[in-house]
Amino acid sequence: MGVLSHLRVVEIGSSAGTSYCTRLFADFGADVQKVEPPAGDPLRHTAPFTASGQSAWFAFLNFNKSSIIIDPKELDAAIRLRTLIENCDILVDGRYVDPADCPSIDVAEIRKQRPDLIYVEMSWFGRDGDYAGFVATDSTIRALGGLIKLVGPVEGPPLHAPDFQMGVIAGLWGFIAAMCSELTRKRSGGGRSWSLSIFESSLALTEYLMCEAFTRGDVMHRMGINRFWPSFPTGIYETKKGYLGVTLHTPAQWRSFCDMLRLVELPDDPSLLLGEDRLHHMDKIDAHFVPRLKTQTAQDWFAEGLKRKIPIVPLPEIPDLLQDAEKKARGAIVPVVFAGENGLTVGSAQRLTLTPPRQGGKVPSPGEQQPFTNPQRHLPQTASTSPGPIDPDRLPLHGIRVIDFSMGWAGPLCTRTLADLGADVIKIEAIQYPDWFRGVDRRPAYVNGQMYEKTQRFCILNRNKRGITLDLKRPQGAALAKRLVAGADVVVDNYSVDVLTRLGLGYDVLKQLNRRLVMMSMSAFGMNSVHRDCRAYGSTLEQGSGLPAVIGSSDGPPVMSHTAFGDPVGGLNGCAAVLVALLHARNTGQGQFIDLAQIECMMPFAAPWVTVESTGGTAIRYGNRHPQFVPHGCFRCRGEDSWIMIAVTDTDMWHRLALLIGRPDWAEEASLKFVEARRAIEKVLEREIAAWTLSRNADEAMSNLQAAKVAAGVARLPIDLLNDPHLESRGFLQRSERAFIGSHLQPSMPIREGVRPYAIRTAAPTLGQHNREILSELLGLSDAEIIELADAGIIGEKMLSEKELARVNNLSSD
């Protein structure tokens, strides 16, 4: 029995986001009932397909669920659906993406009878706002969300990944909403109702760049394949055999990499010290790197990099993932059975060690119930036994305390989400080693000017938290951290493996202080991986996930799709895992350790190709085309570097597009109703569409296309989102005040309970801002004791410069 086996979840409508959300519930044992029409969920017909014609994408999204067929033409269809919903705990609704012939129901009326029912509704853009009526696809959402225009060659159309991203991101957000609601329901008995915008959920990947643009201006443009602001190199290089992913941020990493390549003339150049400085010299640097890297294999360089603690990783092809014994042993690759066919797919990344997820399963045929489903195990509350409505002013995670040892993006996003939902998050830094998102520059001008307090990226990822500094390398600092953990519910760290253990703060120690403690390590490859010592950033995780192998043209190199894709994805997966473990701890009084390998969090984006390859097929790179939608691509509009994404998803949409661009003959041509006929003349179609878009600016083209109900989205830059009319109309960007930077923008969560998003309660803490508050109120220290800690450098409010840090380290070694 899984940790969520007491729950029954009903999924209606058709959406990759709702399907992935409920797949996560099924992973942990919930009874998921998927409602389908007689023809089946439309996603069953989504490419790519296995050799027997089964959808690999559908298989990944739906194993371990049960299927119920409800024919809307039957007289009792609405009654059957209502009865099903009245006897479930959680309803996940994708009808506003695709109704899939679902019978009409009044969810609000049902919730009056079942006030404990948790409801999650997904739509492309939300039910209100400028884009509320737009038609969309995964790719048009990513275009509007700033996730396409920065990718690809400087000239020509931007490159983009295939359509398997937004469903995963939205599904994670939906699962987070439902799980924190379940935690609330265990306490109060009331259910919560959530709406989720898939467009806004995509901005979890963009928000850092968007908010950096707010303070730094228009500094981000497409720089070429595998080149991204704000650092260089952060890309993919060809070696003697295979490709190598390289990410160099800190001065130490830059020097070590140059030393490894024996490029003695580069590391001493002051203009190349920081990653952002190196952006101005990309071609010069590559002229040195490219020939040197081709002298050894990717595996050889990886071995050298491990010794030197450099964030580099070999790029796997999809067959490499299938042959990876470690990934199978960890459950990152799991068996799946569908329609009599055996294959492999991507398993759960939420690696709870005490209550692990299921290791594979069966995809239901239409109308098939899983054998482990027990219709009698669920006893829902009734209106007579449920309490009244929950307090709308009491946030779902009120009363949960989190000790946050994380830095950068992934860990802080995990803990920020918990904080946004009401948890008391205490962020622990040190004046010796503050969060590196404050900046890695330790030169006197940076430190003395307190520039580390002025980085927008730190501010957006650490709002709603309290901050304390503790030197964990000193016994007094570690002892204070233990006292904080003793009264906490959760500990999160994304340090390298064993850092906390070496400091005396490993799980084996902390669980003795707090039996209910949930502790999560967010390392790159996992605690027991053979690559456990590999240094990694969010870009490293994408490079090592297999995803770049399926992006780009068939004759080109593997292509990255984001500057640090793995970070926000790891953060959302981490939050989801913590919530599952918290629910188990609340039910049993027993905490546990979560071994989250962030590289495994990236693998769902390559899941369809894993299944295709496992069943004898071959992963195909589509470039900007689509295996199912024709025409499909990114088309130039009037103006400099102006583009629009267009996706034709069915015959009716093709007819409307042909009429719009002035080709009624195409609209009336019977053969062109079929995708394969259009594919045969795809180049001709693309030329005609390009001629039409080139005569219009991008927003005008999108307006015309959407008026004709053709899926289209302007390929925006992150800075464009600051003035996006839809986001403005929905209040997505909120203003916050903070010392050192004043008024600044904060993105909202994409999940909301009302018309407006959750308000930002407090700005990100300055370094050590809450030292006195936390040490006195939570730990009972006197003013004299706090002053003594400050005098000893165990706490503080100012970052140490490189010289000061060296002096402290020398004193410690003496």
Side-chain angles (χ1 to χ4, degrees):
M1 301 292 284
V3 64
L4 303 182
S5 60
H6 62 290
L7 294 174
R8 174 168 291 168
V9 181
V10 170
E11 175 191 343
I12 61 176
S14 177
S15 158
T18 52
S19 287
Y20 190 60
C21 172
T22 57
R23 167 37 233 268
L24 295 172
F25 278 100
D27 282 346
F28 288 98
D31 171 13
V32 177
Q33 297 289 327
K34 182 181 183 68
V35 176
E36 301 186 74
D41 184 339
L43 290 173
R44 289 185 182 271
H45 310 293
T46 299
F49 300 105
T50 65
S52 66
Q54 304 299 312
S55 169
W57 181 226
F58 182 86
F60 165 73
L61 293 172
N62 290 287
F63 66 86
N64 284 327
K65 300 180 186 179
S66 291
S67 170
I68 292 180
I69 299 298
I70 297 183
D71 187 344
K73 296 178 182 178
E74 294 179 357
L75 294 178
D76 66 343
I79 296 173
R80 285 183 61 203
L81 181 58
R82 182 178 178 118
T83 301
L84 183 66
I85 293 170
E86 287 175 343
N87 286 279
C88 79
D89 300 283
I90 301 170
L91 174 62
V92 183
D93 188 349
R95 292 175 300 158
Y96 299 99
V97 175
D98 185 338
D101 292 330
C102 184
S104 178
I105 52 168
D106 187 339
V107 175
E109 181 61 30
I110 294 174
R111 294 192 76 246
K112 288 180 182 178
Q113 301 301 315
R114 285 286 316 284
D116 64 319
L117 178 68
I118 296 168
Y119 178 57
V120 179
E121 169 197 292
M122 290 194 196
S123 59
W124 286 119
F125 296 100
R127 301 270 217 105
D128 63 284
D130 286 27
Y131 302 162
F134 279 15
V135 291
T137 67
D138 190 293
S139 60
T140 64
I141 288 287
R142 283 182 283 130
L144 280 168
L147 293 168
I148 285 178
K149 194 169 183 178
L150 291 174
V151 183
V154 175
E155 298 296 329
L159 278 174
H160 56 85
D163 273 3
F164 307 110
Q165 295 192 357
M166 291 306 96
V168 174
I169 300 298
L172 283 164
W173 276 113
F175 185 74
I176 288 167
M179 279 303 303
C180 75
S181 301
E182 178 63 12
L183 279 163
T184 298
R185 185 168 64 174
K186 298 297 290 186
R187 179 177 60 216
S188 68
R192 289 179 180 263
S193 179
W194 301 86
S195 63
L196 186 155
S197 160
I198 297 172
F199 172 52
E200 289 169 13
S201 74
S202 76
L203 301 184
L205 309 180
T206 312
E207 62 178 21
Y208 151 53
L209 295 174
M210 178 171 53
C211 291
E212 284 286 285
F214 172 72
T215 55
R216 307 182 66 158
D218 191 11
V219 295
M220 299 165 217
H221 300 91
R222 198 162 60 257
M223 300 185 296
I225 293 175
N226 296 320
R227 291 178 169 184
F228 296 91
W229 188 91
S231 187
F232 184 84
T234 302
I236 293 170
Y237 289 86
E238 188 175 4
T239 69
K240 186 177 182 180
K241 181 181 178 182
Y243 287 89
L244 187 73
V246 177
T247 302
L248 306 178
H249 281 305
T250 70
Q253 291 164 357
W254 167 249
R255 294 188 187 105
S256 293
F257 191 76
C258 291
D259 179 65
M260 184 177 76
L261 268 60
R262 300 190 181 127
L263 298 171
V264 296
E265 66 273 29
L266 293 182
D268 293 331
D269 186 337
S271 68
L272 303 179
L273 185 65
L274 298 177
E276 193 168 345
D277 296 334
R278 295 192 289 271
L279 285 173
H280 304 293
H281 306 279
M282 293 185 293
D283 291 337
K284 169 188 171 182
I285 293 169
D286 276 352
H288 290 276
F289 280 9
V290 169
R292 287 294 300 148
L293 286 169
K294 288 182 179 178
T295 63
Q296 295 192 60
T297 69
Q299 289 293 342
D300 290 339
W301 288 123
F302 180 52
E304 285 291 321
L306 282 175
K307 298 175 188 175
R308 301 164 186 265
K309 299 180 179 181
I310 305 172
I312 57 177
V313 64
L315 264 71
E317 299 282 343
I318 299 300
D320 298 328
L321 298 179
L322 292 171
Q323 296 164 16
D324 191 323
E326 178 178 289
K327 287 185 169 52
K328 291 180 180 178
R330 284 183 56 85
I333 300 288
V334 296
V336 64
V337 179
F338 44 97
E341 193 170 17
N342 294 311
L344 297 169
T345 190
V346 175
S348 172
Q350 287 86 45
R351 197 76 56 230
L352 278 66
T353 56
L354 183 63
T355 57
R358 286 174 170 149
Q359 300 293 296
K362 183 180 182 183
V363 182
S365 298
E368 181 183 11
Q369 290 286 300
Q370 296 282 7
F372 49 75
T373 298
N374 180 2
Q376 303 302 316
R377 69 180 175 180
H378 176 75
L379 296 172
Q381 291 179 294
T382 64
S384 60
T385 60
S386 295
I390 57 175
D391 181 356
D393 296 324
R394 188 180 178 94
L395 295 173
L397 299 185
H398 175 80
I400 299 293
R401 178 164 293 152
V402 180
I403 307 302
D404 181 6
F405 289 105
S406 69
M407 295 185 178
W409 191 344
L413 176 61
C414 167
T415 53
R416 185 196 80 185
T417 305
L418 297 171
D420 286 349
L421 290 165
D424 176 19
V425 176
I426 297 174
K427 182 178 181 69
I428 296 183
E429 301 178 82
I431 57 173
Q432 296 83 0
Y433 299 102
D435 187 328
W436 72 272
F437 251 33
R438 292 182 182 272
V440 296
D441 191 343
R442 287 185 176 270
R443 291 175 292 188
Y446 191 89
V447 174
N448 295 337
Q450 292 186 273
M451 301 303 294
Y452 54 86
E453 296 290 8
K454 302 174 184 179
T455 55
Q456 181 80 357
R457 60 193 177 194
F458 177 85
C459 292
I460 66 166
L461 286 161
N462 293 284
R463 67 178 183 228
N464 290 334
K465 303 178 186 180
R466 295 193 284 172
I468 184 174
T469 50
L470 291 173
D471 184 355
L472 300 176
K473 292 186 175 181
R474 309 268 289 280
Q476 303 99 312
L480 291 169
K482 288 179 182 178
R483 290 175 63 184
L484 287 173
V485 170
D489 300 280
V490 179
V491 165
V492 173
D493 94 87
N494 67 342
Y495 300 156
S496 297
V497 169
D498 288 341
V499 167
L500 284 185
T501 300
R502 290 197 299 269
L503 295 170
L505 297 168
Y507 180 64
D508 287 345
V509 172
L510 299 183
K511 70 178 181 180
Q512 303 302 321
L513 305 174
N514 184 346
R515 179 175 176 270
R516 297 176 62 256
L517 183 69
V518 170
M519 183 171 181
M520 180 169 65
S521 165
M522 300 176 65
S523 63
F525 289 86
M527 296 293 288
N528 300 316
S529 170
V530 295
H531 302 315
R532 67 198 301 269
D533 296 322
C534 176
R535 296 297 174 95
Y537 292 102
S539 49
T540 319
L541 303 171
E542 181 181 3
Q543 292 159 358
S545 70
L547 179 60
V550 296
I551 301 177
S553 61
S554 57
D555 58 350
V559 176
M560 288 173 58
S561 59
H562 193 278
T563 181
F565 202 166
D567 279 315
V569 172
L572 294 177
N573 274 277
C575 182
V578 164
L579 292 171
V580 176
L582 272 175
L583 183 64
H584 175 261
R586 180 160 286 175
N587 289 340
T588 66
Q590 189 172 16
Q592 63 178 298
F593 183 74
I594 303 170
D595 177 19
L596 189 90
Q598 290 190 59
I599 197 163
E600 294 171 7
C601 299
M602 282 297 300
M603 290 173 60
F605 302 105
W609 290 274
V610 170
T611 301
V612 167
E613 291 262 6
S614 75
T615 57
T618 302
I620 297 172
R621 291 193 198 176
Y622 301 115
N624 278 3
R625 289 178 173 173
H626 196 280
Q628 203 164 348
F629 305 151
V630 181
H632 180 281
C634 211
F635 298 90
R636 187 184 290 276
C637 297
R638 188 173 62 228
E640 184 180 356
D641 199 30
S642 181
W643 302 86
I644 189 167
M645 177 66 68
I646 300 174
V648 172
T649 62
D650 57 38
T651 301
D652 290 339
M653 192 178 290
W654 158 248
H655 184 270
R656 295 192 296 270
L657 174 65
L659 291 175
L660 178 66
I661 65 173
R663 292 302 303 260
D665 54 322
W666 283 354
E668 294 170 7
E669 174 59 50
S671 66
L672 294 181
K673 293 180 180 180
F674 301 99
V675 169
E676 291 313 314
R678 298 199 297 273
R679 193 177 302 283
I681 60 167
E682 197 160 11
K683 286 185 179 179
V684 176
L685 302 183
E686 289 168 347
R687 283 198 298 269
E688 197 79 6
I689 294 169
W692 183 86
T693 58
L694 193 58
S695 66
R696 293 159 174 81
N697 67 50
D699 283 288
E700 177 190 0
M702 181 172 71
S703 178
N704 294 159
L705 288 158
Q706 287 290 349
K709 292 299 179 184
V710 175
V714 175
R716 300 208 189 280
L717 289 170
I719 196 170
D720 299 332
L721 296 167
L722 299 175
N723 298 306
D724 183 275
H726 181 75
L727 296 179
E728 184 176 351
S729 67
R730 284 176 54 82
F732 179 80
L733 290 169
Q734 304 181 45
R735 285 203 169 266
S736 182
E737 289 285 337
R738 182 183 181 275
F740 294 97
I741 64 172
S743 177
H744 63 287
L745 293 179
Q746 287 279 348
S748 302
M749 289 190 297
I751 50 177
R752 53 181 76 183
E753 293 190 80
V755 176
R756 308 304 286 178
Y758 277 15
I760 308 304
R761 303 189 304 280
T762 59
T766 56
L767 192 62
Q769 179 180 342
H770 300 101
N771 284 347
R772 181 173 298 276
E773 176 182 312
I774 291 169
L775 293 174
S776 62
E777 293 181 10
L778 295 187
L779 302 185
L781 269 64
S782 66
D783 286 349
E785 289 173 310
I786 293 172
I787 292 171
E788 185 177 341
L789 289 170
D791 290 343
I794 294 167
I795 66 172
E797 298 177 359
K798 293 187 177 181
M799 174 182 175
L800 298 187
S801 69
E802 193 166 25
K803 288 184 179 179
E804 291 170 325
L805 180 62
R807 184 168 63 249
V808 169
N809 288 338
N810 289 335
L811 289 174
S812 299
S813 62
D814 293 341

